[in-house]
Amino acid sequence: MNGLLPEGFHDRLPPFADAAAALEARVLDVARLHGYERVDPPLAEFEEALGTRLKAASGKDAVRFTDPVSRRTLAIRPDITAQIGRIAATRMAHHPRPVRLSYAGQVLKLRASELRPERAMLQIGCELIGRDGVAAVREIVTVAVAALEAAGVPGLAIDFTLPDLVEQLAPGMAADRLAALRDALDAKDAAGVAAIDAAFLPLIEAAGPFDAAISRLRAHDSSGALASRLDGLEAVAQAVEGRVALTLDPTERHGFEYQSWIGFSLFAQGVRGEIGRGGSYSVIGAQGDEPAVGFSLYADPLLDAGIARPERRRLFLPFGTDADTATRLRGEGWVAVAALDEADTAQAQLCTHLLTDGEPRPL
Amino acid sequence: MNGLLPEGFHDRLPPFADAAAALEARVLDVARLHGYERVDPPLAEFEEALGTRLKAASGKDAVRFTDPVSRRTLAIRPDITAQIGRIAATRMAHHPRPVRLSYAGQVLKLRASELRPERAMLQIGCELIGRDGVAAVREIVTVAVAALEAAGVPGLAIDFTLPDLVEQLAPGMAADRLAALRDALDAKDAAGVAAIDAAFLPLIEAAGPFDAAISRLRAHDSSGALASRLDGLEAVAQAVEGRVALTLDPTERHGFEYQSWIGFSLFAQGVRGEIGRGGSYSVIGAQGDEPAVGFSLYADPLLDAGIARPERRRLFLPFGTDADTATRLRGEGWVAVAALDEADTAQAQLCTHLLTDGEPRPL
């Protein structure tokens, strides 16, 4: 049966498709209450326009086809964030900053990533365009956490990173030496780091639970070069303290290449891998780059873990139940399945309740 | 600015994207209360599998690409109904009949149709698989009307058709003569019809308001060949009588080629063109064909007409408003936009209300 669909593609059946709709609605309702308004970019765009806004890696992932109308190449979006940036920079360029936008939609990738087997995925997210300071990041992290809480996601954890920390600490370092240092830090290769500059060893050792990591970094920051970064990071973390397990991996860069000063990954108990990520970045605009912060959630691992599954409560209406009774029961919130003929049964319709003497009774 | 996107593709900006989500939620919530559970097929499938279930016309409309994993051709869905049929016939083949399924999602077409300039569209619908009798059609028409009413769509109208009526009336007619007759009826070419068989002229004259059309057809049906069809049609219409303007065009076949005994088009006051269509049809299954009924709504013309646009009520929280106050106000249902610094203003954030002395006041 799996052979019916290509690898990485799947049908969401009941009750998982209802769960997907509920997850999307709950997440974006929290965003709405924080002032984020939905935008809905199209599935496909001119490849050129989309490509310039995509991370290099995801640009290669896009499905391409020739448009018979324009005779130009179009690409199916492998990511929605890039489209939100385009909208903010062009059609909403006149809108005062910051602009708060949210979205939910399908994305399509030609190839699965190392970590995710899916090639068709539901992406849900929020972007705040025009700011990337501590207050903006605090808001984005708060919205992400409140949204996941509202969707019933248990055991939330956030892993923060400071993608430009190494550059901050080594303003004068030669490019090739900096690259080697970054590679050694990414690999958590202490000997390699020591060979380049032992002063960076504390960055490896600092990775771990948030408060301890911050303390260790402050202890090693005798020059005070990191003070403002660490103050900002603490202010961000404080907004969700006590609700979320917090860690810091100060040099983690993988997947955060396009983030500026801060990035974060979201995790949930019992869900494999990341459930989302976010951070600060730049939006390319006609008048130069604009700062922005945002987050994206990957709905599929959450749904696979059973998040937002609705309770299955179905009332069977025997053949001949009058329309007014059916309307009244549905008005009371009952999922009421009507028999279409004498042969229909409550059991076959997977009902939990049966209308008996005008009242729903459990089966 | 329009040049940013290919012809037939567009961004939905605030408040239209929120309206799209609200329309989808309201329509599918009515369906849910009638027992329809959501399914969510993927954006792309093997072209071959999708193609056999698509109407010939829409198969040609599909965007195709080569899958680097399977090295086979995949197609982006130009229509979701075909995918629902596949799910019912394969993964849900074991499920007792009838199966009630609903869906909402984006579809993509290589070319726009004569009537619709969009090539990326939101399709929303319901399918009832395993029955196509009067009770099943009654239910589908009832759900379609109740869903559109719940979404606030004004001035609903339904135009019914009986796609196999001519075959019913001419059981022994030679294929070429039947084809000529159908063409003449489609063209409302009275002279052409008369030249073939004047007995079919009443079918052209009968088109119009429902009750009058039924009366005219009954008057001409001296043999009683149409009696069961007309009885069924009247029973279907009776379910929505008084809420919807009803018409009948008994020989209309355009776009209903794959419908069996009944088809219908949905219209709304102030909205250009059809807003949806439905009817009875067959689902290809491993054990032979299965009867089914369903409807699809085209969300885009409804949204362009301003349906389901949310009220824009935004409360500005001045810089320094404490988090507990913000949480309380959002809990009361306020869209509360927080200032990120002293420079942010209620006006720039397009707010309608300002938090003053702890209370929201209109601006």
PDB file of all heavy atoms in Angstrom, chain B residues 265-279:
ATOM      1  N   SER B 265     -24.388  22.981  -9.761  1.00  0.00           N
ATOM      2  CA  SER B 265     -23.458  24.101  -9.640  1.00  0.00           C
ATOM      3  C   SER B 265     -23.960  25.019  -8.549  1.00  0.00           C
ATOM      4  O   SER B 265     -25.173  25.205  -8.406  1.00  0.00           O
ATOM      5  CB  SER B 265     -23.392  24.898 -10.936  1.00  0.00           C
ATOM      6  OG  SER B 265     -22.868  24.112 -11.961  1.00  0.00           O
ATOM      7  N   LEU B 266     -23.026  25.605  -7.808  1.00  0.00           N
ATOM      8  CA  LEU B 266     -23.372  26.521  -6.722  1.00  0.00           C
ATOM      9  C   LEU B 266     -22.999  27.942  -7.118  1.00  0.00           C
ATOM     10  O   LEU B 266     -21.925  28.174  -7.685  1.00  0.00           O
ATOM     11  CB  LEU B 266     -22.618  26.123  -5.446  1.00  0.00           C
ATOM     12  CG  LEU B 266     -22.999  24.761  -4.859  1.00  0.00           C
ATOM     13  CD1 LEU B 266     -21.867  24.200  -4.017  1.00  0.00           C
ATOM     14  CD2 LEU B 266     -24.271  24.895  -4.030  1.00  0.00           C
ATOM     15  N   PHE B 267     -23.857  28.866  -6.781  1.00  0.00           N
ATOM     16  CA  PHE B 267     -23.617  30.285  -7.071  1.00  0.00           C
ATOM     17  C   PHE B 267     -23.939  31.116  -5.834  1.00  0.00           C
ATOM     18  O   PHE B 267     -24.683  30.668  -4.958  1.00  0.00           O
ATOM     19  CB  PHE B 267     -24.505  30.756  -8.228  1.00  0.00           C
ATOM     20  CG  PHE B 267     -24.261  30.017  -9.509  1.00  0.00           C
ATOM     21  CD1 PHE B 267     -24.976  28.852  -9.802  1.00  0.00           C
ATOM     22  CD2 PHE B 267     -23.312  30.469 -10.413  1.00  0.00           C
ATOM     23  CE1 PHE B 267     -24.742  28.158 -10.977  1.00  0.00           C
ATOM     24  CE2 PHE B 267     -23.073  29.770 -11.598  1.00  0.00           C
ATOM     25  CZ  PHE B 267     -23.795  28.618 -11.878  1.00  0.00           C
ATOM     26  N   ALA B 268     -23.385  32.317  -5.770  1.00  0.00           N
ATOM     27  CA  ALA B 268     -23.707  33.233  -4.672  1.00  0.00           C
ATOM     28  C   ALA B 268     -23.846  34.638  -5.228  1.00  0.00           C
ATOM     29  O   ALA B 268     -23.156  35.006  -6.188  1.00  0.00           O
ATOM     30  CB  ALA B 268     -22.608  33.214  -3.618  1.00  0.00           C
ATOM     31  N   GLN B 269     -24.744  35.374  -4.597  1.00  0.00           N
ATOM     32  CA  GLN B 269     -25.008  36.744  -5.016  1.00  0.00           C
ATOM     33  C   GLN B 269     -23.720  37.576  -4.911  1.00  0.00           C
ATOM     34  O   GLN B 269     -23.033  37.538  -3.884  1.00  0.00           O
ATOM     35  CB  GLN B 269     -26.043  37.295  -4.048  1.00  0.00           C
ATOM     36  CG  GLN B 269     -26.765  38.532  -4.502  1.00  0.00           C
ATOM     37  CD  GLN B 269     -27.704  38.979  -3.383  1.00  0.00           C
ATOM     38  OE1 GLN B 269     -28.533  38.208  -2.914  1.00  0.00           O
ATOM     39  NE2 GLN B 269     -27.548  40.216  -2.939  1.00  0.00           N
ATOM     40  N   GLY B 270     -23.412  38.311  -5.949  1.00  0.00           N
ATOM     41  CA  GLY B 270     -22.254  39.200  -5.903  1.00  0.00           C
ATOM     42  C   GLY B 270     -20.925  38.500  -6.129  1.00  0.00           C
ATOM     43  O   GLY B 270     -19.869  39.123  -6.002  1.00  0.00           O
ATOM     44  N   VAL B 271     -20.957  37.218  -6.447  1.00  0.00           N
ATOM     45  CA  VAL B 271     -19.716  36.499  -6.711  1.00  0.00           C
ATOM     46  C   VAL B 271     -19.742  36.026  -8.154  1.00  0.00           C
ATOM     47  O   VAL B 271     -20.721  35.412  -8.596  1.00  0.00           O
ATOM     48  CB  VAL B 271     -19.553  35.279  -5.766  1.00  0.00           C
ATOM     49  CG1 VAL B 271     -18.209  34.593  -6.001  1.00  0.00           C
ATOM     50  CG2 VAL B 271     -19.689  35.698  -4.313  1.00  0.00           C
ATOM     51  N   ARG B 272     -18.685  36.347  -8.881  1.00  0.00           N
ATOM     52  CA  ARG B 272     -18.661  36.024 -10.311  1.00  0.00           C
ATOM     53  C   ARG B 272     -18.452  34.539 -10.542  1.00  0.00           C
ATOM     54  O   ARG B 272     -17.562  33.938  -9.968  1.00  0.00           O
ATOM     55  CB  ARG B 272     -17.500  36.774 -10.966  1.00  0.00           C
ATOM     56  CG  ARG B 272     -17.954  37.735 -12.057  1.00  0.00           C
ATOM     57  CD  ARG B 272     -16.767  38.360 -12.745  1.00  0.00           C
ATOM     58  NE  ARG B 272     -16.342  37.606 -13.901  1.00  0.00           N
ATOM     59  CZ  ARG B 272     -15.251  37.893 -14.594  1.00  0.00           C
ATOM     60  NH1 ARG B 272     -14.472  38.880 -14.218  1.00  0.00           N
ATOM     61  NH2 ARG B 272     -14.931  37.188 -15.656  1.00  0.00           N
ATOM     62  N   GLY B 273     -19.269  33.963 -11.373  1.00  0.00           N
ATOM     63  CA  GLY B 273     -19.092  32.555 -11.757  1.00  0.00           C
ATOM     64  C   GLY B 273     -19.484  31.598 -10.661  1.00  0.00           C
ATOM     65  O   GLY B 273     -19.976  31.979  -9.608  1.00  0.00           O
ATOM     66  N   GLU B 274     -19.259  30.327 -10.951  1.00  0.00           N
ATOM     67  CA  GLU B 274     -19.560  29.282  -9.988  1.00  0.00           C
ATOM     68  C   GLU B 274     -18.711  29.422  -8.736  1.00  0.00           C
ATOM     69  O   GLU B 274     -17.540  29.766  -8.810  1.00  0.00           O
ATOM     70  CB  GLU B 274     -19.202  27.925 -10.596  1.00  0.00           C
ATOM     71  CG  GLU B 274     -20.224  27.346 -11.506  1.00  0.00           C
ATOM     72  CD  GLU B 274     -19.791  25.950 -11.964  1.00  0.00           C
ATOM     73  OE1 GLU B 274     -18.634  25.569 -11.722  1.00  0.00           O
ATOM     74  OE2 GLU B 274     -20.620  25.266 -12.571  1.00  0.00           O
ATOM     75  N   ILE B 275     -19.285  29.063  -7.583  1.00  0.00           N
ATOM     76  CA  ILE B 275     -18.474  28.995  -6.360  1.00  0.00           C
ATOM     77  C   ILE B 275     -18.216  27.537  -5.975  1.00  0.00           C
ATOM     78  O   ILE B 275     -17.488  27.275  -5.018  1.00  0.00           O
ATOM     79  CB  ILE B 275     -19.130  29.747  -5.191  1.00  0.00           C
ATOM     80  CG1 ILE B 275     -20.522  29.169  -4.875  1.00  0.00           C
ATOM     81  CG2 ILE B 275     -19.245  31.227  -5.528  1.00  0.00           C
ATOM     82  CD1 ILE B 275     -21.093  29.663  -3.575  1.00  0.00           C
ATOM     83  N   GLY B 276     -18.804  26.624  -6.717  1.00  0.00           N
ATOM     84  CA  GLY B 276     -18.563  25.211  -6.432  1.00  0.00           C
ATOM     85  C   GLY B 276     -19.453  24.360  -7.294  1.00  0.00           C
ATOM     86  O   GLY B 276     -20.337  24.867  -8.001  1.00  0.00           O
ATOM     87  N   ARG B 277     -19.185  23.063  -7.261  1.00  0.00           N
ATOM     88  CA  ARG B 277     -20.056  22.133  -7.962  1.00  0.00           C
ATOM     89  C   ARG B 277     -19.964  20.752  -7.330  1.00  0.00           C
ATOM     90  O   ARG B 277     -19.073  20.479  -6.542  1.00  0.00           O
ATOM     91  CB  ARG B 277     -19.765  22.095  -9.454  1.00  0.00           C
ATOM     92  CG  ARG B 277     -18.365  21.731  -9.850  1.00  0.00           C
ATOM     93  CD  ARG B 277     -18.314  21.434 -11.342  1.00  0.00           C
ATOM     94  NE  ARG B 277     -18.795  22.541 -12.159  1.00  0.00           N
ATOM     95  CZ  ARG B 277     -19.158  22.417 -13.433  1.00  0.00           C
ATOM     96  NH1 ARG B 277     -19.098  21.229 -14.025  1.00  0.00           N
ATOM     97  NH2 ARG B 277     -19.572  23.449 -14.130  1.00  0.00           N
ATOM     98  N   GLY B 278     -20.921  19.928  -7.694  1.00  0.00           N
ATOM     99  CA  GLY B 278     -20.919  18.591  -7.120  1.00  0.00           C
ATOM    100  C   GLY B 278     -21.854  17.686  -7.873  1.00  0.00           C
ATOM    101  O   GLY B 278     -22.386  18.040  -8.926  1.00  0.00           O
ATOM    102  N   GLY B 279     -22.054  16.490  -7.306  1.00  0.00           N
ATOM    103  CA  GLY B 279     -22.946  15.536  -7.936  1.00  0.00           C
ATOM    104  C   GLY B 279     -22.531  14.116  -7.625  1.00  0.00           C
ATOM    105  O   GLY B 279     -21.679  13.878  -6.758  1.00  0.00           O
TER     106      GLY B 279
END
